[in-house]
Amino acid sequence: MKKNYFFNLLLSLSNILFPIISFPYVSKVVGPSGVGKVQFITSYAQYFGLIAALGIPVYGIREIAKAKHDRSKLNNVFSELSVIYFGTSLMLAVVYLASLFFIADFKSNPDLYLWSVLLVLLSFTSIDWFYEGLEQFRTVAIRSIIIRVFSLIAMFVLIHSGKDYHWYLLIIIFTTLSNNAVNMVRLHKSVSVKLKGLDLKRHLKPLFLIFSTTIATSMYTMLDTVLLGFLANTHAVGLYTAAVKLSKIALPIVTSLGMVLIPGLAKNLSLRNYSDVQVTLNRSFAFTAFFSIPIGFGLALLAPEFIVAFSSAKFLDATQAMQILAILPLTIGFGYLFGFQILVPDGKDKQMLFSVLGGVVTGLVLNFTLVPRLEHVGAAIANVVSEMVVTGFFIYFVKKLYTFTFSLRPLITAAASSLVFIPIILFCRAQYHNVYYLILTAVPACALFYILFQKLLFKEQLINEVIQPFVTNKFLSVKRSLSAKNPQIYG
């Protein structure tokens, strides 16, 4: 599990690093309207791709994990799900193209919408779920990082003015489809695709439940951008995009451990090894609290500086939205824990659907009520409240169905330790007027004092179990490397 966690953490860090490098450049060159146009178009296409997926990216991990030790079953499961995915991708691509002729707003940039049909038509080539079910996180991580390096180079080479937003869209499409293509090319090493003797019907009922949950989830996680475009304008979409991207930029760290734990949790839950599950969940709970709370504090307190540094002063109007969205690492982090680490691995699809429907109703009501008046700020409020409702339902069902218990201590110690950020950031603001100097000083200082408070004042065990051994192992590996080169000095 340690190797899987390392590579999933590596992937999570790349999910943070590449947007930190790419989005500031693109947003400053293209501007809020350009970013808004691209985000609206990709969100619209990805929504059709999401429908085409039918919940397979979630359901597939669980089913592949169950069949991975039997090659014949593995071939059947993968082939059946791929055939279903292929068929729905074709159908949704036709529906997507038809919509372009009936909605007047899409006629302003027809070429961009036509290019985006590839995200729908080829959505079936997204098979990360297969490799994650096999727990081959190394493959997913290395492939993703290499493709992102090429896409980053392409951004700097091709995007030079506000008129180049079409290149931004094409690079997003290239990055997505290239990831999928590399996975497809090496697929034959792990599974054999067959077209005869398949039983597609057995997947339809569980897929329908997960699909309903996925679509419902998208109603308040993806549709907010689309609704903002329709109910407000692309400028508001651009501001909202900047706020959301910055608020979610560190989210992969919060959820990185969960993805690795899902296959093992699914196995232990199916065997009713609840004591082992409790031990795993305790660590996951502490991990989520340890990272999500200080990240949220930092995002809220440094929102103006982050907006200017990573987007430009043109996006300063997004500050309030970002401060509202800063709670997302906490709400999504614990929603992921209670939903995708407990309910999903144990097949509680009905409970997942009910929980998410609560978020859908909340999101739709708040978006239609707030967005016409508050635009991007209204969308931010709707997003946060919807996530809180969903997480609340997840917790309710876990408490109702299981006897798992969780200590509130990690939440309290993380919040108390994060309070030190306030004087540190106020001091840094008084010393620096340059936002880059301020961020480069305040963020490391906050992180250092947070860890010191957790370790020395609250004796947080997670530091001893995860962070300290990681640093120690890195130090020892460097020392061994130096010893091999200079045995007379380090021997």
Side-chain angles (χ1 to χ4, degrees), residues 184-196:
M184 295 292 286
V185 166
R186 63 183 308 280
L187 185 63
H188 67 280
K189 296 180 180 180
S190 303
V191 70
S192 300
V193 179
K194 51 188 293 190
L195 298 176
K196 294 183 179 180

Side-chain angles (χ1 to χ4, degrees), residues 197-244:
L198 302 180
D199 182 9
L200 305 183
K201 290 183 179 179
R202 68 190 181 101
H203 300 291
L204 297 182
K205 183 177 179 180
L207 273 177
F208 175 76
L209 288 170
I210 294 177
F211 166 70
S212 301
T213 304
T214 304
I215 292 302
T217 302
S218 71
M219 296 286 280
Y220 65 89
T221 58
M222 288 177 62
L223 198 60
D224 54 354
T225 302
V226 177
L227 285 175
L228 186 58
F230 281 120
L231 299 174
N233 50 64
T234 54
H235 182 79
V237 173
L239 295 175
Y240 182 66
T241 299
V244 169

